[in-house]
Amino acid sequence: MFSFNDKWRAWVVVALLFLFMVINYADKAVIGLVAVSVMHDLSLTPRQFGLVGSSFFLLYSVSGVVFGFVANRVKTQWILVFLAATWAIVQFPMVGSVSLPMLITCRILLGVGEGPAYPVALHACYKWFDDRERSVPNAIIAQGPFVGMMLAGPILTFFIVRYGWHSAFLALGVIGIVWIVLWLLLGKEGTVDADGATQKEDHQETVPYGTLLTDPTVVGNFILWFAAFAVVALCFTWIPAYLRLGLGYSATTTGWLFSMIVTAQIPVAIALSWVSKKLLASGVSSRVARGVLAGGPIVMAGAIFWSIGSIGSPGAKVACLAAGSAMIQLIGWLGPLMLGEIVPTRQRGALLGIHNSVGTVAGLVAPAVMGFVINDALSPAAGFEQGFELLGALLVLSGLIGLYLVNPEKSRMRFFRLIQTSESPQPANTGISKRMSHDGGLINQSKE
């Protein structure tokens, strides 16, 4: 076995979790890249293919909630192995003869394995870093989805064009198995949450789930993530098809354009993440540094998607797709951090899972709605652009509601008071001091 000290092991784990998310999002993106070929070979209408895209999310959210609670009790080290094995196994039936029922079944099972992936990966990361050190590793893992989709565009398209669309699924299955081997050799469970008096004291400090789930900051994060994930789900399922059927690009050009659209998201996410960190360091409230910085761009993205239909140039339409997709990304990073500020450690895994699952219900709806709109439109291009108008309206409305609701400081104080009220009186001079943290968990406790 390999041996690392804790410092290096922590960053090896971050690197593996980054690769975990790269594979996760390449798995998601492949269905959009093979869309035109699959519709042709299986004689599917846009409505049927939209249902295929949505089927991936049928149990995605349920799985996310279930594994969120499992992560409170089972080591994330083994949960990650199970999830990655599920992804790999369901790719192989797609290598041979495929029918519509088989396609839908494999996508549903893939959704079961991928639904909990991001929150469980973050939960595993948080076990290696305390709250004040999580920004950088959190940001690295959050880049995994971007890189996964960016690489999927040209690489999987190469396999599709040269060897047929079945080969893309074979490649993803093999890559999943390779990751499992690496994780078993190099991965390990972190101990930050289990160290010292913090965990011993904190294990009693919980807030009723009814109270957590109706808190305005939590609800606001749910709404923002729901709207953002509608864009993400359409990127997986329909954006490559729009580039081909709506704008007339070739399969190879579509692969590169899809990669460019995703690549444009990375500097925007990094820049806004840096701004958020600087604002927090300068004393700006989390409501502004995280809430406004996540919600405001979603409103802007809504306006961008709404305008696509009125733009004549295909190049300008592609630029709008890139800009709109980039604007919604930050909530995927800042949302979990905001929840990490206010949720007790013992309940963090479950809340991250619920948050991800509630938001990703959009994936069950958005691809199917787009498919129905395209199917009933005068032309594929007109159908896509009508769908983008609906998406724009959803983003603007959800962004405004989220901006109004999100207030981590207020929620943290509310939960703090609930915990203090529910605790039995502590003996004097216990040696324990409790203080609220500006940028991190609900309560930090330390021996004086």
Side-chain angles (χ1 to χ4, degrees):
M1 292 294 294
F2 294 86
S3 177
F4 300 97
N5 60 36
D6 283 348
K7 178 181 177 181
W8 285 105
R9 174 77 72 172
W11 289 104
V12 168
V13 167
V14 169
L16 289 171
L17 293 174
F18 166 79
L19 291 175
F20 180 79
M21 294 309 303
V22 168
I23 299 168
N24 180 277
Y25 271 69
D27 287 343
K28 290 180 173 73
V30 68
I31 195 66
L33 295 170
V34 302
V36 175
S37 299
V38 169
M39 285 192 286
H40 177 269
D41 287 0
L42 301 185
S43 301
L44 303 181
T45 66
R47 182 176 297 182
Q48 288 174 313
F49 188 76
L51 293 176
V52 170
S54 288
S55 68
F56 173 79
F57 297 97
L58 182 63
L59 299 177
Y60 189 97
S61 300
V62 175
S63 176
V65 173
V66 170
F67 277 92
F69 282 95
V70 171
N72 287 344
R73 300 180 179 276
V74 178
K75 288 185 176 182
T76 53
Q77 179 181 7
W78 302 114
I79 296 175
L80 292 168
V81 170
F82 175 82
L83 297 179
T86 302
W87 311 347
I89 290 169
V90 300
Q91 305 296 348
F92 295 117
M94 304 299 294
V95 176
S97 178
V98 178
S99 63
L100 179 58
M102 178 186 290
L103 178 60
I104 290 176
T105 299
C106 287
R107 295 304 290 179
I108 291 173
L109 293 176
L110 182 63
V112 171
E114 296 202 343
Y118 187 53
V120 172
L122 291 181
H123 191 45
C125 170
Y126 293 171
K127 292 186 177 187
W128 282 97
F129 302 87
D130 65 37
D131 187 79
R132 292 180 181 273
E133 297 176 335
R134 287 174 186 161
S135 291
V136 172
N138 196 106
I140 291 172
I141 295 169
Q143 300 311 307
F146 299 130
V147 176
M149 291 190 291
M150 180 181 70
L151 295 177
I155 295 175
L156 293 182
T157 299
F158 170 82
F159 281 99
I160 293 165
V161 171
R162 186 156 187 174
Y163 303 108
W165 60 269
H166 301 274
S167 65
F169 292 94
L170 175 61
L172 290 171
V174 172
I175 291 170
I177 292 174
V178 170
W179 184 88
I180 293 171
V181 172
L182 291 174
W183 179 254
L184 290 174
L185 290 174
L186 303 175
K188 186 180 177 182
E189 194 81 358
T191 59
V192 167
D193 290 339
D195 284 343
T198 299
Q199 180 68 11
K200 294 177 183 178
E201 294 291 330
D202 183 67
H203 81 283
Q204 297 295 335
E205 296 171 351
T206 60
V207 175
Y209 279 100
T211 302
L212 285 175
L213 295 175
T214 55
D215 176 75
T217 296
V218 175
V219 172
N221 269 281
F222 287 172
I223 292 171
L224 291 173
W225 183 226
F226 179 92
F229 204 84
V231 179
V232 174
L234 291 177
C235 282
F236 299 149
T237 309
W238 283 116
I239 295 302
Y242 173 60
L243 296 175
R244 291 193 65 182
L245 300 178
L247 300 183
Y249 292 107
S250 68
T252 300
T253 302
T254 291
W256 283 104
L257 286 175
F258 182 76
S259 180
M260 289 172 60
I261 289 170
V262 175
T263 302
Q265 300 171 19
I266 297 176
V268 173
I270 292 174
L272 292 178
S273 299
W274 180 84
V275 170
S276 173
K277 181 178 179 180
K278 287 295 182 182
L279 289 174
L280 283 173
S282 65
V284 174
S285 70
S286 182
R287 183 178 193 183
V288 173
R290 288 175 172 168
V292 172
L293 212 57
I298 288 179
V299 177
M300 296 170 59
I304 292 171
F305 277 105
W306 179 272
S307 69
I308 288 177
S310 62
I311 297 172
S313 165
K317 292 178 186 290
V318 172
C320 284
L321 288 175
S325 300
M327 289 291 100
I328 59 91
Q329 296 298 332
L330 203 58
I331 185 62
W333 176 51
L334 294 182
L337 286 177
M338 285 188 276
L339 294 180
E341 289 185 57
I342 66 176
V343 177
T345 298
R346 188 182 180 189
Q347 296 170 289
R348 186 180 62 212
L351 245 293
L352 288 174
I354 293 170
H355 167 255
N356 193 61
S357 296
V358 170
T360 54
V361 169
L364 185 62
V365 179
V369 170
M370 181 66 88
F372 275 76
V373 173
I374 296 167
N375 202 81
D376 295 338
L378 295 176
S379 68
F384 278 113
E385 289 166 5
Q386 290 169 17
F388 291 144
E389 288 182 358
L390 291 175
L391 177 64
L394 170 68
L395 290 170
V396 170
L397 179 61
S398 301
L400 292 174
I401 294 173
L403 284 171
Y404 175 76
L405 292 176
V406 171
N407 190 336
E409 287 84 5
K410 185 175 180 179
S411 296
R412 190 165 67 242
M413 287 303 301
R414 177 189 179 211
F415 294 156
F416 177 73
R417 287 194 295 268
L418 284 173
I419 289 174
Q420 291 294 87
T421 301
S422 65
E423 285 181 338
S424 58
Q426 299 291 325
N429 300 320
T430 59
I432 300 292
S433 66
K434 298 183 179 181
R435 66 183 187 277
M436 298 301 298
S437 168
H438 171 70
D439 62 347
L442 177 62
I443 298 177
N444 287 330
Q445 297 175 310
S446 59
K447 296 274 187 181
E448 289 185 335

